PDB file of all heavy atoms in Angstrom:
ATOM      1  N   PHE A  76       6.446   7.005  15.107  1.00 98.00           N
ATOM      2  CA  PHE A  76       5.154   6.354  15.240  1.00 98.00           C
ATOM      3  C   PHE A  76       5.342   4.945  15.774  1.00 98.00           C
ATOM      4  O   PHE A  76       6.395   4.318  15.573  1.00 98.00           O
ATOM      5  CB  PHE A  76       4.436   6.320  13.890  1.00 98.00           C
ATOM      6  CG  PHE A  76       4.178   7.693  13.346  1.00 98.00           C
ATOM      7  CD1 PHE A  76       5.136   8.336  12.563  1.00 98.00           C
ATOM      8  CD2 PHE A  76       3.000   8.370  13.633  1.00 98.00           C
ATOM      9  CE1 PHE A  76       4.919   9.616  12.085  1.00 98.00           C
ATOM     10  CE2 PHE A  76       2.778   9.648  13.150  1.00 98.00           C
ATOM     11  CZ  PHE A  76       3.744  10.274  12.373  1.00 98.00           C
ATOM     12  N   THR A  77       4.283   4.450  16.415  1.00 98.00           N
ATOM     13  CA  THR A  77       4.328   3.108  16.999  1.00 98.00           C
ATOM     14  C   THR A  77       3.026   2.378  16.728  1.00 98.00           C
ATOM     15  O   THR A  77       1.941   2.952  16.833  1.00 98.00           O
ATOM     16  CB  THR A  77       4.542   3.189  18.524  1.00 98.00           C
ATOM     17  OG1 THR A  77       5.731   3.923  18.802  1.00 98.00           O
ATOM     18  CG2 THR A  77       4.677   1.791  19.114  1.00 98.00           C
ATOM     19  N   LEU A  78       3.165   1.114  16.369  1.00 98.00           N
ATOM     20  CA  LEU A  78       2.028   0.205  16.271  1.00 98.00           C
ATOM     21  C   LEU A  78       2.142  -0.766  17.434  1.00 98.00           C
ATOM     22  O   LEU A  78       3.196  -1.386  17.621  1.00 98.00           O
ATOM     23  CB  LEU A  78       2.030  -0.551  14.954  1.00 98.00           C
ATOM     24  CG  LEU A  78       0.933  -1.610  14.795  1.00 98.00           C
ATOM     25  CD1 LEU A  78      -0.439  -0.955  14.658  1.00 98.00           C
ATOM     26  CD2 LEU A  78       1.220  -2.520  13.587  1.00 98.00           C
ATOM     27  N   LYS A  79       1.071  -0.870  18.203  1.00 98.00           N
ATOM     28  CA  LYS A  79       1.088  -1.786  19.346  1.00 98.00           C
ATOM     29  C   LYS A  79      -0.012  -2.823  19.221  1.00 98.00           C
ATOM     30  O   LYS A  79      -1.125  -2.520  18.786  1.00 98.00           O
ATOM     31  CB  LYS A  79       0.925  -0.997  20.647  1.00 98.00           C
ATOM     32  CG  LYS A  79       2.113  -0.113  20.971  1.00 98.00           C
ATOM     33  CD  LYS A  79       1.943   0.616  22.291  1.00 98.00           C
ATOM     34  CE  LYS A  79       3.166   1.468  22.587  1.00 98.00           C
ATOM     35  NZ  LYS A  79       3.024   2.260  23.830  1.00 98.00           N
ATOM     36  N   ILE A  80       0.347  -4.041  19.601  1.00 98.00           N
ATOM     37  CA  ILE A  80      -0.622  -5.122  19.735  1.00 98.00           C
ATOM     38  C   ILE A  80      -0.664  -5.452  21.217  1.00 98.00           C
ATOM     39  O   ILE A  80       0.363  -5.840  21.796  1.00 98.00           O
ATOM     40  CB  ILE A  80      -0.227  -6.357  18.906  1.00 98.00           C
ATOM     41  CG1 ILE A  80       0.132  -5.956  17.473  1.00 98.00           C
ATOM     42  CG2 ILE A  80      -1.363  -7.373  18.916  1.00 98.00           C
ATOM     43  CD1 ILE A  80       0.674  -7.113  16.629  1.00 98.00           C
ATOM     44  N   SER A  81      -1.810  -5.283  21.828  1.00 97.00           N
ATOM     45  CA  SER A  81      -1.871  -5.433  23.285  1.00 97.00           C
ATOM     46  C   SER A  81      -1.652  -6.875  23.726  1.00 97.00           C
ATOM     47  O   SER A  81      -0.971  -7.135  24.720  1.00 97.00           O
ATOM     48  CB  SER A  81      -3.211  -4.909  23.818  1.00 97.00           C
ATOM     49  OG  SER A  81      -4.284  -5.624  23.221  1.00 97.00           O
ATOM     50  N   ARG A  82      -2.244  -7.800  22.990  1.00 97.00           N
ATOM     51  CA  ARG A  82      -2.075  -9.224  23.294  1.00 97.00           C
ATOM     52  C   ARG A  82      -2.040  -9.962  21.952  1.00 97.00           C
ATOM     53  O   ARG A  82      -3.059 -10.088  21.285  1.00 97.00           O
ATOM     54  CB  ARG A  82      -3.240  -9.756  24.134  1.00 97.00           C
ATOM     55  CG  ARG A  82      -3.314  -9.168  25.549  1.00 97.00           C
ATOM     56  CD  ARG A  82      -4.592  -9.641  26.260  1.00 97.00           C
ATOM     57  NE  ARG A  82      -5.784  -9.329  25.486  1.00 97.00           N
ATOM     58  CZ  ARG A  82      -6.373  -8.148  25.450  1.00 97.00           C
ATOM     59  NH1 ARG A  82      -5.855  -7.135  26.157  1.00 97.00           N
ATOM     60  NH2 ARG A  82      -7.458  -7.950  24.727  1.00 97.00           N
ATOM     61  N   VAL A  83      -0.874 -10.427  21.589  1.00 97.00           N
ATOM     62  CA  VAL A  83      -0.694 -11.054  20.279  1.00 97.00           C
ATOM     63  C   VAL A  83      -1.456 -12.378  20.200  1.00 97.00           C
ATOM     64  O   VAL A  83      -1.448 -13.184  21.137  1.00 97.00           O
ATOM     65  CB  VAL A  83       0.797 -11.281  19.985  1.00 97.00           C
ATOM     66  CG1 VAL A  83       0.978 -12.095  18.714  1.00 97.00           C
ATOM     67  CG2 VAL A  83       1.525  -9.951  19.864  1.00 97.00           C
ATOM     68  N   GLU A  84      -2.106 -12.574  19.060  1.00 97.00           N
ATOM     69  CA  GLU A  84      -2.748 -13.851  18.776  1.00 97.00           C
ATOM     70  C   GLU A  84      -2.040 -14.496  17.592  1.00 97.00           C
ATOM     71  O   GLU A  84      -1.362 -13.819  16.805  1.00 97.00           O
ATOM     72  CB  GLU A  84      -4.237 -13.634  18.470  1.00 97.00           C
ATOM     73  CG  GLU A  84      -5.012 -13.045  19.643  1.00 97.00           C
ATOM     74  CD  GLU A  84      -6.512 -13.025  19.407  1.00 97.00           C
ATOM     75  OE1 GLU A  84      -6.972 -13.546  18.360  1.00 97.00           O
ATOM     76  OE2 GLU A  84      -7.230 -12.490  20.285  1.00 97.00           O
ATOM     77  N   ALA A  85      -2.231 -15.789  17.449  1.00 96.00           N
ATOM     78  CA  ALA A  85      -1.557 -16.539  16.379  1.00 96.00           C
ATOM     79  C   ALA A  85      -1.884 -15.972  15.006  1.00 96.00           C
ATOM     80  O   ALA A  85      -1.047 -15.971  14.102  1.00 96.00           O
ATOM     81  CB  ALA A  85      -1.930 -18.014  16.459  1.00 96.00           C
ATOM     82  N   GLU A  86      -3.083 -15.459  14.819  1.00 96.00           N
ATOM     83  CA  GLU A  86      -3.509 -14.926  13.529  1.00 96.00           C
ATOM     84  C   GLU A  86      -2.844 -13.595  13.180  1.00 96.00           C
ATOM     85  O   GLU A  86      -3.028 -13.080  12.077  1.00 96.00           O
ATOM     86  CB  GLU A  86      -5.023 -14.731  13.510  1.00 96.00           C
ATOM     87  CG  GLU A  86      -5.518 -13.654  14.469  1.00 96.00           C
ATOM     88  CD  GLU A  86      -7.039 -13.530  14.458  1.00 96.00           C
ATOM     89  OE1 GLU A  86      -7.715 -14.536  14.194  1.00 96.00           O
ATOM     90  OE2 GLU A  86      -7.530 -12.409  14.708  1.00 96.00           O
ATOM     91  N   ASP A  87      -2.083 -13.029  14.105  1.00 97.00           N
ATOM     92  CA  ASP A  87      -1.444 -11.740  13.868  1.00 97.00           C
ATOM     93  C   ASP A  87      -0.097 -11.863  13.161  1.00 97.00           C
ATOM     94  O   ASP A  87       0.533 -10.849  12.850  1.00 97.00           O
ATOM     95  CB  ASP A  87      -1.242 -10.980  15.184  1.00 97.00           C
ATOM     96  CG  ASP A  87      -2.546 -10.667  15.890  1.00 97.00           C
ATOM     97  OD1 ASP A  87      -3.591 -10.591  15.197  1.00 97.00           O
ATOM     98  OD2 ASP A  87      -2.540 -10.508  17.123  1.00 97.00           O
ATOM     99  N   VAL A  88       0.351 -13.096  12.906  1.00 98.00           N
ATOM    100  CA  VAL A  88       1.637 -13.253  12.215  1.00 98.00           C
ATOM    101  C   VAL A  88       1.556 -12.670  10.818  1.00 98.00           C
ATOM    102  O   VAL A  88       0.532 -12.748  10.146  1.00 98.00           O
ATOM    103  CB  VAL A  88       2.079 -14.730  12.151  1.00 98.00           C
ATOM    104  CG1 VAL A  88       2.270 -15.285  13.542  1.00 98.00           C
ATOM    105  CG2 VAL A  88       1.087 -15.558  11.370  1.00 98.00           C
ATOM    106  N   GLY A  89       2.660 -12.058  10.411  1.00 98.00           N
ATOM    107  CA  GLY A  89       2.713 -11.438   9.104  1.00 98.00           C
ATOM    108  C   GLY A  89       3.770 -10.351   9.092  1.00 98.00           C
ATOM    109  O   GLY A  89       4.509 -10.179  10.065  1.00 98.00           O
ATOM    110  N   VAL A  90       3.797  -9.627   7.987  1.00 98.00           N
ATOM    111  CA  VAL A  90       4.743  -8.521   7.868  1.00 98.00           C
ATOM    112  C   VAL A  90       3.959  -7.207   7.951  1.00 98.00           C
ATOM    113  O   VAL A  90       2.990  -7.015   7.214  1.00 98.00           O
ATOM    114  CB  VAL A  90       5.531  -8.598   6.549  1.00 98.00           C
ATOM    115  CG1 VAL A  90       6.527  -7.433   6.477  1.00 98.00           C
ATOM    116  CG2 VAL A  90       6.263  -9.924   6.428  1.00 98.00           C
ATOM    117  N   TYR A  91       4.395  -6.345   8.843  1.00 98.00           N
ATOM    118  CA  TYR A  91       3.730  -5.068   9.090  1.00 98.00           C
ATOM    119  C   TYR A  91       4.522  -3.949   8.440  1.00 98.00           C
ATOM    120  O   TYR A  91       5.747  -3.879   8.582  1.00 98.00           O
ATOM    121  CB  TYR A  91       3.596  -4.838  10.596  1.00 98.00           C
ATOM    122  CG  TYR A  91       2.607  -5.768  11.246  1.00 98.00           C
ATOM    123  CD1 TYR A  91       2.920  -7.117  11.464  1.00 98.00           C
ATOM    124  CD2 TYR A  91       1.335  -5.329  11.625  1.00 98.00           C
ATOM    125  CE1 TYR A  91       2.002  -7.982  12.029  1.00 98.00           C
ATOM    126  CE2 TYR A  91       0.415  -6.184  12.192  1.00 98.00           C
ATOM    127  CZ  TYR A  91       0.756  -7.512  12.392  1.00 98.00           C
ATOM    128  OH  TYR A  91      -0.159  -8.367  12.948  1.00 98.00           O
TER     129      TYR A  91
END
Side-chain angles (χ1 to χ4, degrees):
Chain A
F76 299 88
T77 303
L78 176 70
K79 292 182 179 177
I80 311 174
S81 59
R82 293 174 305 280
V83 173
E84 298 189 4
E86 66 182 29
D87 298 335
V88 298
V90 181
Y91 290 74

